[in-house]
Amino acid sequence: MRWPNWFRRRPAAPRVRPFDENALDEPAPVTVDQSVDEGMLLADYATRMAVKNHIVVDTIQDGNDFDPSRHTAQAAAMLHELADEQIQAAARAAETWRAVAGRGGDARHPHDYRDVDGGNLRHREAAAIELAAALRERAASEPELLAIVERARQDAWDEVGQAIEASLDAFSGAEALKANYEAERPARLKLLILRDLARLEDERGGY
């Protein structure tokens, strides 16, 4: 005889222990070196983007030939600008931790620092000073500057290439809507070779 399902004992639901935040491992504090490394990564990206824009304007808009030496000064200037910002940040952190020394109580907003925040503020000061020194050292290194320019050149080429592909795709899409597109395609390609590429060769002096 099979007993109805409601007479069967249901398995007990597993017991879940309540979350205990105190049981979590204390995360290791971030070192000054780690903060400097992270800052250098951000600075490298910002510098590459600035140099990339400089390359695009100089070569495409102004029509100059690409020469890495034309852009190293731009990279160095950007690195020095970022270094100056870090020195200012270090000064603000030092001023703040001195001002809050001995101040107790609870913070009322994220920038309401207290004595307990002194260690973090001193960490920021030290990291900013070291980061500024590392940025200035990179700005004084010709090989480092040339490496930044080369990566920026690759970024510029990728950006311009994507813009050209997007334009060609849009043009191809519009042309494909025409009923006689396939019939005219060979003639269009021949015209491109005989007229447009020849004109481009003349403008570039056979380059």
Side-chain angles (χ1 to χ4, degrees):
M1 177 180 179
R2 294 191 61 182
W3 293 96
N5 288 338
W6 59 80
F7 284 115
R8 295 182 181 179
R9 171 175 290 183
R10 298 182 181 275
R15 298 184 61 186
V16 179
R17 289 189 296 178
F19 176 74
D20 183 7
E21 185 177 355
N22 295 325
L24 296 175
D25 294 333
E26 188 72 19
V30 177
T31 66
V32 171
D33 288 342
Q34 290 173 330
S35 296
V36 172
D37 289 342
E38 182 178 352
M40 289 298 289
L41 289 174
L42 296 174
D44 179 72
Y45 177 79
T47 304
R48 275 177 33 228
M49 293 301 99
V51 175
K52 178 206 70 175
N53 295 335
H54 191 261
I55 291 173
V56 170
V57 171
D58 187 63
T59 57
I60 296 180
Q61 180 174 313
D62 297 341
N64 296 313
D65 294 334
F66 175 75
D67 181 359
S69 63
R70 293 177 61 85
H71 310 288
T72 53
Q74 175 73 15
M78 185 65 180
L79 290 170
H80 280 297
E81 180 181 341
L82 294 173
D84 291 341
E85 291 179 0
Q86 290 305 309
I87 291 298
Q88 296 171 11
R92 289 193 299 270
E95 181 181 359
T96 302
W97 72 256
R98 291 190 182 98
V100 302
R103 180 186 298 176
D106 296 328
R108 290 170 293 182
H109 53 79
H111 299 289
D112 183 22
Y113 297 109
R114 304 289 167 157
D115 184 74
V116 69
D117 300 309
N120 184 37
L121 291 167
R122 286 190 291 272
H123 172 92
R124 293 185 191 177
E125 178 191 10
I129 291 173
E130 288 199 21
L131 178 56
L135 290 169
R136 291 202 171 104
E137 182 178 356
R138 178 167 292 185
S141 171
E142 189 70 14
E144 291 278 3
L145 294 177
L146 289 173
I148 291 174
V149 170
E150 173 57 23
R151 292 196 298 272
R153 183 196 65 80
Q154 295 173 6
D155 292 337
W157 177 252
D158 291 341
E159 184 175 290
V160 171
Q162 290 171 6
I164 292 174
E165 288 181 359
S167 298
L168 290 176
D169 289 343
F171 176 79
S172 298
E175 290 296 308
L177 294 177
K178 296 182 179 179
N180 59 346
Y181 172 75
E182 288 297 333
E184 293 183 356
R185 185 178 180 185
R188 290 179 181 278
L189 290 175
K190 186 175 181 179
L191 181 62
L192 172 66
I193 295 172
L194 294 178
R195 185 191 66 185
D196 296 342
L197 294 183
R199 184 176 60 190
L200 179 61
E201 183 176 4
D202 290 339
E203 292 176 355
R204 290 297 183 182
Y207 174 73

